Amino acid sequence: MIVNNWYVAAESTEVVENPVPVRMLGCDFVLFRTTAGEVACLSAVCCHRGGDLSRGKRIGSCLQCPYHGWEYDRNGRCTKMPALGDDASPPKRARVDAYPVEERYGYVWVFLGDMLPAERPALPDFLPMYADDSWRVVRLKRDWHANWARVHENLLDASHLFLVHSFGRHLPAKMTVWPVTKTACGGQVIQKYPARAVAVTAVNQAQAAQTRSESTVTLDFSIIGLMHRNDQQMSNGYDQIIWNCLTPIDADHTRNFGLHFRNSRKSPDHDAETLKAIQWGLTEDAAVVEHLRPRLMPVTPAGELWMGTDNMERLYRDQATAFGQRLGAIDVRRHEDLVRDRVLVIPSPGRREDPDGWVHGTVPLQAAAGGGASKNAMS
Ligand code: FES
Ligand SMILES: [Fe+2]
């Protein structure tokens, strides 16, 4: 699991008055909205004696621990210790990690890492059409009992469509090997299909079948933000864009946030059937992906037999490995062992600015391995 990356923690509408618990990368966080309307994200474990801040209460623009009432501001600094009286000023060590937050596309994005603004990777704008009224947008969420990289590879994979998906049964099994392009944060492939040879949702399939439309599919992924966009332009004008973003809950579970844009049948009356078709497709994927072995991204490509038709997934794995080495990746085995009797957090930028005087330790990171996918050791 890559640190120093942006992850969707929640839908913006989920973060209102009450603190919201979120588990990401095997660590616990709490989101809350200040009285000024800004979202704050803190490590959820109180540095006093382990209270769960997500079960606490918002008081003004602070969060109160449910155990002894210490209050933390949006920067993670303890401002009040009730047992010591109102005049007491909390020591510097009375603080928890606070993470940078940005709201975009109706989601709360959190930067999980300690990079300072100048070195922090910028979240690419994958959805410039987000506020464009010519599209109807629906929002979905799904939890997978599978590793984030396993899920993401599946969502980029075209050679399973004919077999796994009911909407893909009319597709030929034989694939064209489309050239893939490495981009700054990920990769891209552009595929062209003859009439009726593409359908990503049942909605689209019905339209394609009626009009025998040709189509161009542009698939982009970004390791920054762990997202991808599937842009389907059809010659009959029925276009759709599918955007998915993945947040590792832990090494074995992944939360999938998604947006679907359509430029036809834009009445809200068609939202439910659109969502149902997308979820149906993802359920078909899950029946395979949740049973892959090994469960995590394989430690070496030598344990699999890659073909040219797997080139997009191969590029994904190369890029995920390269970014993991550049940004840092959690050593999952050591982490899972250590957290049995101690709190370990993902270091926040506050630790870079002021390294001393923190109560909780930080998650173990993998040693940078070098060598790209040939030494893929990320989980
Ligand atoms: S454990 Fe949080 S105030 Fe004591
Ligand atoms: Fe699929």
Side-chain angles (χ1 to χ4, degrees), residues 156-228:
L156 299 171
D157 181 305
S159 59
H160 75 287
L161 300 178
F162 85 99
L163 184 64
V164 171
H165 292 295
S166 44
F167 63 72
R169 295 282 146 72
H170 66 293
L171 294 172
K174 186 172 187 306
M175 288 265 307
T176 302
V177 179
W178 305 100
V180 298
T181 307
K182 185 173 168 180
T183 59
C185 298
Q188 183 187 72
V189 63
I190 299 174
Q191 304 159 339
K192 292 187 185 299
Y193 292 94
R196 299 184 66 178
V198 68
V200 171
T201 72
V203 175
N204 196 46
Q205 183 185 13
Q207 292 162 347
Q210 278 169 15
T211 59
R212 304 184 63 83
S213 177
E214 294 171 353
S215 60
T216 301
V217 175
T218 305
L219 194 54
D220 281 281
F221 74 85
S222 171
I223 300 300
I224 302 303
L226 223 50
M227 59 184 159
H228 73 272

Side-chain angles (χ1 to χ4, degrees), residues 19 21 30 44 52-57 64-66:
V30 56
D52 179 352
L53 297 177
S54 73
R55 300 174 70 86
K57 238 189 344 201
Q64 183 192 51
C65 177

Side-chain angles (χ1 to χ4, degrees), residues 46-53 65-70 72:
C46 177
C47 68
H48 178 211
R49 281 164 48 206
D52 179 352
L53 297 177
C65 177
Y67 201 174
H68 312 97
W70 288 17
Y72 295 89

Side-chain angles (χ1 to χ4, degrees), residues 15-16 32-41 58 61 74 101 103:
V15 187
V16 280
F32 67 102
R33 203 174 279 277
T34 67
T35 44
E38 294 169 324
V39 179
C41 178
R58 195 190 76 170
S61 278
R74 68 184 310 268
V101 172
E103 287 190 81

Side-chain angles (χ1 to χ4, degrees), residues 298-362:
V299 72
T300 163
E304 295 177 327
L305 187 56
W306 294 73
M307 296 289 132
T309 47
D310 303 315
N311 57 1
M312 186 62 161
E313 301 85 272
R314 182 61 189 262
L315 176 60
Y316 175 81
R317 201 175 287 187
D318 282 348
Q319 287 285 60
T321 302
F323 275 86
Q325 289 170 357
R326 191 183 313 164
L327 301 173
I330 295 175
D331 183 333
V332 171
R333 279 202 194 94
R334 281 182 60 216
H335 184 222
E336 288 178 352
D337 182 36
L338 291 169
V339 292
R340 292 165 71 84
D341 61 6
R342 73 202 72 190
V343 176
L344 297 175
V345 302
I346 294 173
S348 63
R351 293 192 185 233
R352 289 281 288 281
E353 290 163 339
D354 183 6
D356 299 322
W358 296 85
V359 173
H360 295 145
T362 59

Side-chain angles (χ1 to χ4, degrees), residues 5-231:
N5 200 359
W6 291 94
Y7 293 100
V8 170
E11 295 177 3
S12 284
T13 53
E14 294 176 298
V15 187
V16 280
E17 280 265 329
N18 296 324
V20 177
V22 181
R23 189 163 172 80
M24 296 183 282
L25 280 58
C27 297
D28 292 306
F29 302 87
V30 56
L31 304 175
F32 67 102
R33 203 174 279 277
T34 67
T35 44
E38 294 169 324
V39 179
C41 178
L42 306 181
S43 168
V45 185
C46 177
C47 68
H48 178 211
R49 281 164 48 206
D52 179 352
L53 297 177
S54 73
R55 300 174 70 86
K57 238 189 344 201
R58 195 190 76 170
I59 295 186
S61 278
C62 289
L63 195 56
Q64 183 192 51
C65 177
Y67 201 174
H68 312 97
W70 288 17
E71 291 179 24
Y72 295 89
D73 66 18
R74 68 184 310 268
N75 299 312
R77 190 161 292 281
C78 178
T79 57
K80 188 172 179 182
M81 296 172 158
L84 301 189
D86 285 345
D87 295 339
S89 82
K92 176 177 139 182
R93 275 166 60 83
R95 58 182 173 176
V96 295
D97 289 78
Y99 302 88
V101 172
E102 185 173 323
E103 287 190 81
R104 194 191 284 188
Y105 316 139
Y107 292 109
V108 174
W109 296 77
V110 178
F111 184 77
L112 296 182
D114 62 355
M115 284 182 168
L116 298 174
E119 55 185 339
R120 204 173 290 160
L123 188 59
D125 183 8
F126 255 41
L127 298 174
M129 82 300 288
Y130 178 69
D132 181 344
D133 286 345
S134 57
W135 297 94
R136 174 71 189 169
V137 186
V138 290
R139 196 175 292 272
L140 65 135
K141 187 158 64 170
R142 182 186 186 92
D143 284 355
W144 298 70
H145 186 188
N147 174 261
W148 59 276
R150 291 304 217 171
V151 176
H152 217 161
E153 284 179 6
N154 166 255
L155 296 174
L156 299 171
D157 181 305
S159 59
H160 75 287
L161 300 178
F162 85 99
L163 184 64
V164 171
H165 292 295
S166 44
F167 63 72
R169 295 282 146 72
H170 66 293
L171 294 172
K174 186 172 187 306
M175 288 265 307
T176 302
V177 179
W178 305 100
V180 298
T181 307
K182 185 173 168 180
T183 59
C185 298
Q188 183 187 72
V189 63
I190 299 174
Q191 304 159 339
K192 292 187 185 299
Y193 292 94
R196 299 184 66 178
V198 68
V200 171
T201 72
V203 175
N204 196 46
Q205 183 185 13
Q207 292 162 347
Q210 278 169 15
T211 59
R212 304 184 63 83
S213 177
E214 294 171 353
S215 60
T216 301
V217 175
T218 305
L219 194 54
D220 281 281
F221 74 85
S222 171
I223 300 300
I224 302 303
L226 223 50
M227 59 184 159
H228 73 272
R229 173 179 149 171
N230 182 327
D231 204 330

